[in-house]
Amino acid sequence: MAEAAREVPIAKPKGEKPPRRSIGAILTPRRSNILLLLLFFALVPTLTARTMPLWFKPSMQLVLGEAVAFAIAALALNLLIGYAGQISLGHAALLGFGAFISGLLTGQMGLSMAISIPVAAIVSASVAFVIGVPSLRLKGLYLAMATIAFGFAFEQSVFRMDIFSGSAGLELPRRVFGETMLDNNADLLAVALVLLLVVWLLDTNVVRSKVGRAFKAIREDESVAQSFGINVTGYKLLAFALSGALAGVAGAIYGHFVGFANNESFPFALSLQLIIMVVVGGLGSRVGVVLSAIFFTLFPEVLSGFSGWQIVAGSALLMYTVARHPGGLAQMAAEIREARAKRKAPPEDDSIEEAGNLPKLPDMPRPTGLPARKQSPEMSMPGAEVLRVDDVTVRFGGLVAVDSASLSVPRGQIVGLIGPNGAGKSTLFNTISGLVVPESGRIHLLGEDVTKVPPHLRARRGIGRTFQNIGLAKDLSVLDNFLLAQHVIAGYGAGGGLLNSPRAARVERELRDRAHTAIKALDFERFTDQPLKNLSHGQQRIVELGCSLVTAPELLMLDEPSAGMSPGAAENLAVRLRDLRDELGHTVLLIEHNVPMVLDVCDYIYVLSYGQILAHGTTEQIAAHPEVIGAYFGEAAA
């Protein structure tokens, strides 16, 4: 593919004043985090024993501390279920681990809580990591059953071991250092609030970074996530480990408030309570989950006559939420905001959909700072084989989906792959992109054998693709989908994202600038912050095409891009596909049922039938091929 021209800075006229910076531009995420921490630490002294007794009795301070601990626990579970879509019904055991480890260190070894709580987080993260391993193969009900078994095993067995003092349990002193203790509940509550703030900021950084976008992509569709270069295995385990670490912190601080922990302190019912808190608060909603956790903790104290009924009340709220507002409190609030916005908003412009006028697809240059893709100089020459598939066979049990199929995609050309329904086109596509492992055969990308390379690494090597059923995260906004599509070029690690390091903040600004450039090129600026699911099918398809181009892939694989489009839009899509080849220099492998469009735009065509290559050649050769005519239109007339 021809290298795109570098952007030349535009000189500003002399004497022109620079535009005023908005508060949002000044208060970057990193600066807002620092400002919030400084403000909170300035206010913490007012929450200590000098002031707190004027507001709450010691017993109420204790309840508030427990509420804060459960808010942290709910955030931990929300990160796993709400963001990453991984079910856990045994999270109470992770809280127990945090409490027991902190108790061992403070009570038996005489260490400070400043040491014991971080260690508890590390140990709980390690345990959660091990629990997460089954999630690589189990999903849905089976994963839920595995986590239930884990929770029961730890409650009934592990927490009764001698290392945790058996059934007698452990004391959890509030040790600061030596013999200095936090005797006042108010002082420990101040510590708990600081921990809640730290967890809140960490959760915020997760959502703002590529880590959170990867979690949400996995929740939506693992295949789509892999096509964006996301290591699904690694990010699943990371989600479990992060959630476990936060649960360990919650369990430790809860244990220090209560002062004691045994195998009955963290029963299985507590895991169900946490699920209720997260679902009622709203899966994926930080504010809703925290408010829900605090409400369910304070409910028995505020209405003392209803003590013990919190599970019943929670179950009733859960059923109501699932029936009326599956998104919980967060969805209710969003629906109110959307209703107000619709009353004020002007009528929507559907001209793009009605006229079928697809905008010009964005010309995105290869990002600076991205490591050079390994390829010989010959591979960059026009006509060189970007992709070669040799005798690939795919079986699903006794069904042969692809039978010794071979094809080649030269640089700078559009190669079509057509065939009747069930011919094996999508299976071959998924094999090329790494989602399906072939039984035999080889696949070469840019001269490199990638047959055994996982799909997320093939995306890094230059494969971009679309899906028949819109391969995007539909709950995310248009902007977030463009950010997600740039995962392979987000050059910072998960740790940098969690801490919002200077490098991560700089890279995120660059990704956001590229995303806005692509959205502007599509003339979709009015949809920037709209959830993708609110757009029409044709508009979603345009966004998907834009996302597939934002990283300037070496090979663009389009799976039925005209599916669901009006005839006018399909005709205009043909023009845009030619633009991809002729103006932007892209190499395209195209699956399409619209045969006239394939004959119009493709340089070379392969016909697949019953998993085998029936014919291949130029458009003229394919249009005149008797077997192809018979496969599509019946026997040719004599």
Side-chain angles (χ1 to χ4, degrees):
M1 181 180 68
E3 290 291 333
R6 295 182 177 272
E7 294 185 8
V8 180
I10 301 175
K12 295 182 180 179
K14 293 184 178 180
E16 180 180 334
K17 294 182 179 180
R20 296 180 62 181
R21 300 176 68 187
S22 64
I23 294 179
I26 297 173
L27 285 179
T28 61
R30 181 175 177 80
R31 291 173 182 170
S32 62
N33 285 354
I34 295 173
L35 181 62
L36 188 57
L37 279 171
L38 292 176
L39 179 62
F40 191 84
F41 280 115
L43 296 177
V44 160
T46 65
L47 302 174
T48 61
R50 295 191 298 273
T51 306
M52 186 65 72
L54 301 177
W55 299 344
F56 303 108
K57 295 179 180 179
S59 60
M60 193 60 189
Q61 296 168 18
L62 179 62
V63 174
L64 287 172
E66 294 175 1
V68 172
F70 284 128
I72 296 174
L75 285 174
L77 188 57
N78 182 57
L79 186 148
L80 184 64
I81 300 179
Y83 296 164
Q86 305 302 302
I87 298 175
S88 173
L89 296 179
H91 241 53
L94 295 175
L95 271 71
F97 250 104
F100 279 111
I101 295 299
S102 193
L104 286 172
L105 295 179
T106 57
Q108 297 186 8
M109 300 179 64
L111 299 178
S112 167
M113 288 189 298
I115 297 175
S116 69
I117 293 177
V119 172
I122 294 172
V123 173
S124 296
S126 302
V127 174
F129 182 91
V130 174
I131 299 169
V133 172
S135 73
L136 305 180
R137 292 187 176 274
L138 302 178
K139 295 181 182 180
L141 177 62
Y142 298 102
L143 179 58
M145 292 173 63
T147 57
I148 289 174
F150 156 77
F152 270 116
F154 276 76
E155 178 188 349
Q156 300 297 324
S157 177
V158 176
F159 291 157
R160 296 188 181 190
M161 295 172 64
D162 291 340
I163 190 175
F164 297 131
S165 299
S167 299
L170 284 173
E171 290 187 7
L172 279 85
R174 304 172 182 180
R175 193 181 305 278
V176 180
F177 58 87
E179 297 302 317
T180 304
M181 306 287 180
L182 289 180
D183 295 324
N184 295 304
N185 290 335
D187 290 328
L188 188 58
L189 177 58
V191 172
L193 287 170
V194 170
L195 289 175
L196 176 59
L197 175 66
V198 171
V199 171
W200 180 282
L201 294 178
L202 182 68
D203 191 274
T204 303
N205 290 340
V206 167
V207 173
R208 287 170 173 167
S209 70
K210 72 174 187 179
V211 177
R213 294 191 294 269
F215 287 163
K216 293 177 181 179
I218 292 171
R219 179 193 67 195
E220 293 275 338
D221 189 317
E222 292 183 14
S223 297
V224 171
Q226 290 174 313
S227 73
F228 286 134
I230 295 170
N231 183 348
V232 170
T233 298
Y235 275 98
K236 275 187 177 182
L237 294 176
L238 176 62
F240 271 95
L242 278 177
S243 181
L246 300 185
V249 171
I253 198 66
Y254 174 81
H256 285 294
F257 268 108
V258 177
F260 174 80
N262 65 7
N263 67 299
E264 297 179 355
S265 300
F266 302 93
F268 175 71
L270 178 57
S271 294
L272 298 181
Q273 283 181 266
L274 292 174
I275 290 286
I276 291 172
M277 292 173 186
V278 172
V279 174
V280 172
L283 289 169
S285 170
R286 187 183 311 110
V287 175
V289 164
V290 169
L291 291 178
S292 176
I294 293 174
F295 168 78
F296 279 107
T297 308
L298 298 183
F299 178 76
E301 298 297 325
V302 175
L303 301 175
S304 56
F306 290 89
S307 181
W309 287 81
Q310 58 266 40
I311 289 290
V312 176
S315 300
L317 276 174
L318 180 63
M319 288 187 290
Y320 173 81
T321 300
V322 171
R324 297 295 300 273
H325 300 283
L329 296 174
Q331 181 184 352
M332 294 173 61
E335 288 173 353
I336 293 172
R337 290 195 301 269
E338 288 178 6
R340 290 177 178 173
K342 284 183 179 179
R343 288 196 295 266
K344 298 179 181 179
E348 294 185 2
D349 179 15
D350 294 328
S351 58
I352 292 178
E353 189 72 9
E354 293 174 359
N357 295 323
L358 273 69
K360 283 255 186 188
L361 295 173
D363 180 13
M364 301 301 298
R366 182 172 168 79
T368 58
L370 186 66
R373 290 169 181 153
K374 296 180 181 179
Q375 57 177 302
S376 62
E378 293 79 12
M379 285 292 104
S380 61
M381 300 296 292
E385 280 187 324
V386 173
L387 174 72
R388 190 177 80 249
V389 177
D390 294 325
D391 297 320
V392 163
T393 297
V394 178
R395 294 179 186 270
F396 298 113
L399 173 66
V400 181
V402 178
D403 188 3
S404 299
S406 299
L407 60 81
S408 173
V409 181
R411 183 176 293 280
Q413 292 189 15
I414 300 177
V415 174
L417 180 62
I418 64 174
N421 287 329
K425 302 184 300 298
S426 292
T427 300
L428 182 55
F429 237 49
N430 289 335
T431 306
I432 293 170
S433 59
L435 300 176
V436 173
V437 178
E439 181 182 83
S440 61
R442 314 303 296 176
I443 299 170
H444 290 81
L445 177 68
L446 299 173
E448 178 187 2
D449 188 342
V450 295
T451 310
K452 297 183 179 180
V453 174
H456 69 279
L457 294 182
R458 295 193 199 189
R460 292 180 181 275
R461 282 167 166 77
I463 290 182
R465 67 163 294 179
T466 67
F467 288 79
Q468 186 176 350
N469 296 319
I470 308 293
L472 296 174
K474 295 186 179 180
D475 282 339
L476 298 185
S477 68
V478 171
L479 174 61
D480 284 336
N481 271 284
F482 272 96
L483 294 173
L484 173 63
Q486 299 179 80
H487 184 88
V488 294
I489 62 174
Y492 62 87
L498 297 178
L499 300 176
N500 194 27
S501 66
R503 174 178 173 80
R506 175 179 57 79
V507 171
E508 282 294 319
R509 288 194 298 270
E510 293 173 356
L511 299 182
R512 195 166 292 267
D513 289 342
R514 286 178 62 85
H516 281 294
T517 299
I519 293 171
K520 184 177 181 180
L522 292 174
D523 194 24
F524 267 36
E525 291 171 290
R526 63 191 182 282
F527 300 129
T528 298
D529 297 317
Q530 283 284 322
L532 189 76
K533 62 186 178 184
N534 291 353
L535 275 60
S536 68
H537 181 87
Q539 291 165 341
Q540 291 181 26
R541 185 66 73 183
I542 295 169
V543 173
E544 185 186 30
L545 285 170
C547 287
S548 66
L549 293 169
V550 75
T551 56
E554 296 285 349
L555 173 66
L556 184 60
M557 299 171 59
L558 304 180
D559 192 349
E560 297 194 30
S562 71
M565 286 187 172
S566 64
E571 289 180 9
N572 194 254
L573 175 63
V575 177
R576 296 297 167 239
L577 292 178
R578 286 194 293 271
D579 289 344
L580 284 177
R581 176 192 60 199
D582 301 335
E583 297 184 11
L584 306 184
H586 281 286
T587 304
V588 180
L589 178 60
L590 171 70
I591 287 181
E592 186 54 66
H593 277 295
N594 188 333
V595 177
M597 186 178 79
V598 172
L599 296 175
D600 182 30
V601 304
C602 290
D603 300 291
Y604 202 85
I605 299 173
Y606 290 84
V607 183
L608 201 63
S609 180
Y610 298 105
Q612 296 181 327
I613 299 296
L614 175 65
H616 60 91
T618 63
T619 55
E620 293 81 6
Q621 292 170 332
I622 294 299
H625 198 289
E627 291 185 70
V628 175
I629 295 173
Y632 271 96
F633 307 110
E635 293 299 326

PDB file of all heavy atoms in Angstrom, residues 111-130:
ATOM      1  N   LEU A 111       2.240  -6.538  61.817  1.00  0.00           N
ATOM      2  CA  LEU A 111       2.507  -5.560  60.762  1.00  0.00           C
ATOM      3  C   LEU A 111       1.397  -4.524  60.686  1.00  0.00           C
ATOM      4  O   LEU A 111       0.290  -4.723  61.188  1.00  0.00           O
ATOM      5  CB  LEU A 111       2.653  -6.266  59.416  1.00  0.00           C
ATOM      6  CG  LEU A 111       3.804  -7.275  59.311  1.00  0.00           C
ATOM      7  CD1 LEU A 111       3.791  -7.937  57.934  1.00  0.00           C
ATOM      8  CD2 LEU A 111       5.144  -6.595  59.572  1.00  0.00           C
ATOM      9  N   SER A 112       1.680  -3.431  60.003  1.00  0.00           N
ATOM     10  CA  SER A 112       0.725  -2.342  59.860  1.00  0.00           C
ATOM     11  C   SER A 112      -0.324  -2.655  58.802  1.00  0.00           C
ATOM     12  O   SER A 112      -0.070  -3.431  57.865  1.00  0.00           O
ATOM     13  CB  SER A 112       1.463  -1.054  59.481  1.00  0.00           C
ATOM     14  OG  SER A 112       0.576  -0.057  59.051  1.00  0.00           O
ATOM     15  N   MET A 113      -1.495  -2.024  58.934  1.00  0.00           N
ATOM     16  CA  MET A 113      -2.520  -2.147  57.892  1.00  0.00           C
ATOM     17  C   MET A 113      -2.026  -1.588  56.572  1.00  0.00           C
ATOM     18  O   MET A 113      -2.494  -2.009  55.506  1.00  0.00           O
ATOM     19  CB  MET A 113      -3.799  -1.414  58.322  1.00  0.00           C
ATOM     20  CG  MET A 113      -4.585  -2.085  59.416  1.00  0.00           C
ATOM     21  SD  MET A 113      -6.207  -1.293  59.658  1.00  0.00           S
ATOM     22  CE  MET A 113      -5.700   0.363  60.154  1.00  0.00           C
ATOM     23  N   ALA A 114      -1.095  -0.635  56.629  1.00  0.00           N
ATOM     24  CA  ALA A 114      -0.538  -0.086  55.396  1.00  0.00           C
ATOM     25  C   ALA A 114       0.190  -1.143  54.585  1.00  0.00           C
ATOM     26  O   ALA A 114       0.367  -1.007  53.372  1.00  0.00           O
ATOM     27  CB  ALA A 114       0.408   1.070  55.721  1.00  0.00           C
ATOM     28  N   ILE A 115       0.627  -2.220  55.253  1.00  0.00           N
ATOM     29  CA  ILE A 115       1.267  -3.344  54.564  1.00  0.00           C
ATOM     30  C   ILE A 115       0.258  -4.459  54.306  1.00  0.00           C
ATOM     31  O   ILE A 115       0.212  -5.050  53.222  1.00  0.00           O
ATOM     32  CB  ILE A 115       2.449  -3.880  55.392  1.00  0.00           C
ATOM     33  CG1 ILE A 115       3.516  -2.795  55.545  1.00  0.00           C
ATOM     34  CG2 ILE A 115       3.026  -5.140  54.760  1.00  0.00           C
ATOM     35  CD1 ILE A 115       4.669  -3.203  56.446  1.00  0.00           C
ATOM     36  N   SER A 116      -0.566  -4.737  55.312  1.00  0.00           N
ATOM     37  CA  SER A 116      -1.451  -5.897  55.214  1.00  0.00           C
ATOM     38  C   SER A 116      -2.516  -5.739  54.136  1.00  0.00           C
ATOM     39  O   SER A 116      -2.849  -6.715  53.450  1.00  0.00           O
ATOM     40  CB  SER A 116      -2.122  -6.162  56.564  1.00  0.00           C
ATOM     41  OG  SER A 116      -3.057  -5.146  56.884  1.00  0.00           O
ATOM     42  N   ILE A 117      -3.067  -4.536  53.967  1.00  0.00           N
ATOM     43  CA  ILE A 117      -4.135  -4.353  52.976  1.00  0.00           C
ATOM     44  C   ILE A 117      -3.606  -4.516  51.550  1.00  0.00           C
ATOM     45  O   ILE A 117      -4.206  -5.237  50.743  1.00  0.00           O
ATOM     46  CB  ILE A 117      -4.844  -3.012  53.181  1.00  0.00           C
ATOM     47  CG1 ILE A 117      -5.615  -3.032  54.515  1.00  0.00           C
ATOM     48  CG2 ILE A 117      -5.815  -2.712  52.036  1.00  0.00           C
ATOM     49  CD1 ILE A 117      -6.309  -1.729  54.867  1.00  0.00           C
ATOM     50  N   PRO A 118      -2.458  -3.900  51.171  1.00  0.00           N
ATOM     51  CA  PRO A 118      -1.919  -4.167  49.826  1.00  0.00           C
ATOM     52  C   PRO A 118      -1.568  -5.636  49.603  1.00  0.00           C
ATOM     53  O   PRO A 118      -1.788  -6.175  48.512  1.00  0.00           O
ATOM     54  CB  PRO A 118      -0.664  -3.280  49.763  1.00  0.00           C
ATOM     55  CG  PRO A 118      -0.934  -2.174  50.730  1.00  0.00           C
ATOM     56  CD  PRO A 118      -1.709  -2.817  51.841  1.00  0.00           C
ATOM     57  N   VAL A 119      -1.016  -6.306  50.644  1.00  0.00           N
ATOM     58  CA  VAL A 119      -0.695  -7.720  50.491  1.00  0.00           C
ATOM     59  C   VAL A 119      -1.968  -8.536  50.305  1.00  0.00           C
ATOM     60  O   VAL A 119      -2.020  -9.473  49.483  1.00  0.00           O
ATOM     61  CB  VAL A 119       0.111  -8.228  51.707  1.00  0.00           C
ATOM     62  CG1 VAL A 119       0.278  -9.749  51.636  1.00  0.00           C
ATOM     63  CG2 VAL A 119       1.471  -7.557  51.761  1.00  0.00           C
ATOM     64  N   ALA A 120      -3.007  -8.185  51.060  1.00  0.00           N
ATOM     65  CA  ALA A 120      -4.295  -8.870  50.903  1.00  0.00           C
ATOM     66  C   ALA A 120      -4.815  -8.714  49.481  1.00  0.00           C
ATOM     67  O   ALA A 120      -5.378  -9.658  48.903  1.00  0.00           O
ATOM     68  CB  ALA A 120      -5.304  -8.311  51.906  1.00  0.00           C
ATOM     69  N   ALA A 121      -4.629  -7.517  48.901  1.00  0.00           N
ATOM     70  CA  ALA A 121      -5.063  -7.285  47.522  1.00  0.00           C
ATOM     71  C   ALA A 121      -4.291  -8.174  46.554  1.00  0.00           C
ATOM     72  O   ALA A 121      -4.875  -8.764  45.631  1.00  0.00           O
ATOM     73  CB  ALA A 121      -4.876  -5.815  47.157  1.00  0.00           C
ATOM     74  N   ILE A 122      -2.978  -8.309  46.774  1.00  0.00           N
ATOM     75  CA  ILE A 122      -2.149  -9.123  45.876  1.00  0.00           C
ATOM     76  C   ILE A 122      -2.535 -10.593  45.964  1.00  0.00           C
ATOM     77  O   ILE A 122      -2.676 -11.286  44.944  1.00  0.00           O
ATOM     78  CB  ILE A 122      -0.655  -8.928  46.212  1.00  0.00           C
ATOM     79  CG1 ILE A 122      -0.231  -7.492  45.897  1.00  0.00           C
ATOM     80  CG2 ILE A 122       0.201  -9.919  45.440  1.00  0.00           C
ATOM     81  CD1 ILE A 122       1.160  -7.140  46.374  1.00  0.00           C
ATOM     82  N   VAL A 123      -2.726 -11.101  47.190  1.00  0.00           N
ATOM     83  CA  VAL A 123      -3.079 -12.512  47.365  1.00  0.00           C
ATOM     84  C   VAL A 123      -4.460 -12.789  46.761  1.00  0.00           C
ATOM     85  O   VAL A 123      -4.658 -13.791  46.056  1.00  0.00           O
ATOM     86  CB  VAL A 123      -3.048 -12.894  48.859  1.00  0.00           C
ATOM     87  CG1 VAL A 123      -3.585 -14.315  49.055  1.00  0.00           C
ATOM     88  CG2 VAL A 123      -1.631 -12.779  49.405  1.00  0.00           C
ATOM     89  N   SER A 124      -5.420 -11.907  47.030  1.00  0.00           N
ATOM     90  CA  SER A 124      -6.767 -12.106  46.477  1.00  0.00           C
ATOM     91  C   SER A 124      -6.747 -12.037  44.956  1.00  0.00           C
ATOM     92  O   SER A 124      -7.483 -12.777  44.283  1.00  0.00           O
ATOM     93  CB  SER A 124      -7.728 -11.055  47.041  1.00  0.00           C
ATOM     94  OG  SER A 124      -7.872 -11.201  48.435  1.00  0.00           O
ATOM     95  N   ALA A 125      -5.907 -11.154  44.408  1.00  0.00           N
ATOM     96  CA  ALA A 125      -5.777 -11.080  42.949  1.00  0.00           C
ATOM     97  C   ALA A 125      -5.230 -12.386  42.387  1.00  0.00           C
ATOM     98  O   ALA A 125      -5.676 -12.868  41.339  1.00  0.00           O
ATOM     99  CB  ALA A 125      -4.874  -9.914  42.565  1.00  0.00           C
ATOM    100  N   SER A 126      -4.257 -12.983  43.096  1.00  0.00           N
ATOM    101  CA  SER A 126      -3.677 -14.254  42.632  1.00  0.00           C
ATOM    102  C   SER A 126      -4.714 -15.365  42.658  1.00  0.00           C
ATOM    103  O   SER A 126      -4.798 -16.179  41.722  1.00  0.00           O
ATOM    104  CB  SER A 126      -2.481 -14.624  43.518  1.00  0.00           C
ATOM    105  OG  SER A 126      -1.509 -13.596  43.506  1.00  0.00           O
ATOM    106  N   VAL A 127      -5.514 -15.412  43.736  1.00  0.00           N
ATOM    107  CA  VAL A 127      -6.558 -16.432  43.826  1.00  0.00           C
ATOM    108  C   VAL A 127      -7.585 -16.227  42.709  1.00  0.00           C
ATOM    109  O   VAL A 127      -8.019 -17.180  42.049  1.00  0.00           O
ATOM    110  CB  VAL A 127      -7.237 -16.384  45.207  1.00  0.00           C
ATOM    111  CG1 VAL A 127      -8.428 -17.330  45.261  1.00  0.00           C
ATOM    112  CG2 VAL A 127      -6.237 -16.726  46.298  1.00  0.00           C
ATOM    113  N   ALA A 128      -7.988 -14.961  42.487  1.00  0.00           N
ATOM    114  CA  ALA A 128      -8.964 -14.667  41.432  1.00  0.00           C
ATOM    115  C   ALA A 128      -8.413 -15.028  40.057  1.00  0.00           C
ATOM    116  O   ALA A 128      -9.161 -15.481  39.177  1.00  0.00           O
ATOM    117  CB  ALA A 128      -9.350 -13.196  41.480  1.00  0.00           C
ATOM    118  N   PHE A 129      -7.121 -14.831  39.870  1.00  0.00           N
ATOM    119  CA  PHE A 129      -6.485 -15.194  38.596  1.00  0.00           C
ATOM    120  C   PHE A 129      -6.658 -16.689  38.335  1.00  0.00           C
ATOM    121  O   PHE A 129      -6.996 -17.106  37.214  1.00  0.00           O
ATOM    122  CB  PHE A 129      -4.999 -14.829  38.644  1.00  0.00           C
ATOM    123  CG  PHE A 129      -4.250 -15.109  37.372  1.00  0.00           C
ATOM    124  CD1 PHE A 129      -4.134 -14.139  36.393  1.00  0.00           C
ATOM    125  CD2 PHE A 129      -3.643 -16.340  37.159  1.00  0.00           C
ATOM    126  CE1 PHE A 129      -3.436 -14.393  35.213  1.00  0.00           C
ATOM    127  CE2 PHE A 129      -2.954 -16.603  35.986  1.00  0.00           C
ATOM    128  CZ  PHE A 129      -2.846 -15.630  35.020  1.00  0.00           C
ATOM    129  N   VAL A 130      -6.436 -17.500  39.373  1.00  0.00           N
ATOM    130  CA  VAL A 130      -6.599 -18.948  39.231  1.00  0.00           C
ATOM    131  C   VAL A 130      -8.063 -19.287  38.943  1.00  0.00           C
ATOM    132  O   VAL A 130      -8.360 -20.155  38.104  1.00  0.00           O
ATOM    133  CB  VAL A 130      -6.115 -19.663  40.502  1.00  0.00           C
ATOM    134  CG1 VAL A 130      -6.413 -21.157  40.422  1.00  0.00           C
ATOM    135  CG2 VAL A 130      -4.623 -19.429  40.705  1.00  0.00           C
TER     136      VAL A 130
END
